[in-house]
Amino acid sequence: MGKSIYFSLYEKIPDYCVRIYQSGDWTLSNGVNLEVSIIGKSHRVISRKGNDCLTEFITCFDHDLPENSLETKYLKPGIIHHQEYRYGDLKYRVNVEHTSQVFNSMEDYTGFLGDVPLSDTLTHVFTSISEESGVPLPFTGLNLSSETNTFYTVHTYPEIGISIISSTNIELTSLSIVK
C-alpha cells in the first residue's frame, strides 16, 4: 500500500501544529529569508521578504492541515508537479516529483543534484526502523543553493520504494527585468 503525499502552498503561515525534528534559518542571495523545518517525514519552509510570506509543505495526508491553501496537489507516481505562483513580490517556482528512485543517504541525493552550488544542508534520519530489515533508513533532507535562490528537498520512503524530490526557486518580481 502506498502513502498519499501532498504538496501544499499557503499565503502567510497557516495555523497548523507541527513537531519539528530539525530546523534552520537560511537567506537567499536576493534577501528572501527561509525558515526550514523537518517535520517528521515531511517538511515546512516559510519564505519571507518584507510583508510577503508563503509557506510550503510536503506531507502525508493529514485531515488537520488547513484547507485554505493556494494549492494542494496529490503527488502521483511518475508525474512532475511544475507550477509557478506569484504572491506580492515573490515569484515562486516549484518542481515536485514522486519517483521510484530511493536515495540511501543525503550524500547520494546531493550527488544526484550534480554541480549545484550548495551552501547549507539540513537532514534527519529516522532510526526507529530496524536496520536489520535490509532496507535503507528513511530520511528527509533540504539543501540550499543561496547563489541560485533555490532550495531542494528529498523525502525517502524505502519501506515502499519511493522518494519525493523537489526544487523551489524564489525570485523577486520587483527585480525582474522585462524586455
Side-chain angles (χ1 to χ4, degrees), residues 51-157:
N51 292 325
D52 299 330
C53 179
L54 292 171
T55 301
E56 171 184 310
F57 290 92
I58 291 182
T59 59
C60 292
F61 182 73
D62 182 351
H63 289 289
D64 295 329
L65 197 63
E67 294 181 13
N68 61 336
S69 65
L70 292 172
E71 179 153 34
T72 296
K73 192 76 167 177
Y74 170 60
L75 301 173
K76 297 177 183 175
I79 304 295
I80 297 174
H81 173 62
H82 174 76
Q83 191 67 43
E84 181 177 298
Y85 307 90
R86 290 176 185 251
Y87 180 72
D89 272 345
L90 300 176
K91 182 164 66 169
Y92 199 92
R93 282 182 290 204
V94 65
N95 285 293
V96 187
E97 183 176 359
H98 178 294
T99 178
S100 60
Q101 180 174 0
V102 177
F103 298 92
N104 293 322
S105 67
M106 193 61 173
E107 293 77 23
D108 286 349
Y109 178 66
T110 55
F112 168 80
L113 293 175
D115 293 333
V116 173
L118 299 177
S119 48
D120 215 336
T121 298
L122 186 69
T123 189
H124 185 79
V125 177
F126 297 92
T127 57
S128 61
I129 296 176
S130 171
E131 291 186 68
E132 296 174 16
S133 68
V135 175
L137 292 174
F139 70 94
T140 297
L142 295 99
N143 288 305
L144 173 67
S145 176
S146 177
E147 184 179 311
T148 64
N149 298 313
T150 304
F151 66 89
Y152 301 87
T153 73
V154 60
H155 307 259
T156 65
Y157 302 89

Side-chain angles (χ1 to χ4, degrees), residues 13 20 24-26 33-37 44-48:
I13 304 169
I20 297 175
D25 294 311
W26 297 343
N33 294 307
L34 304 177
E35 181 183 319
V36 297
S37 302
R44 176 184 70 186
V45 176
I46 300 168
S47 305
R48 290 188 176 113

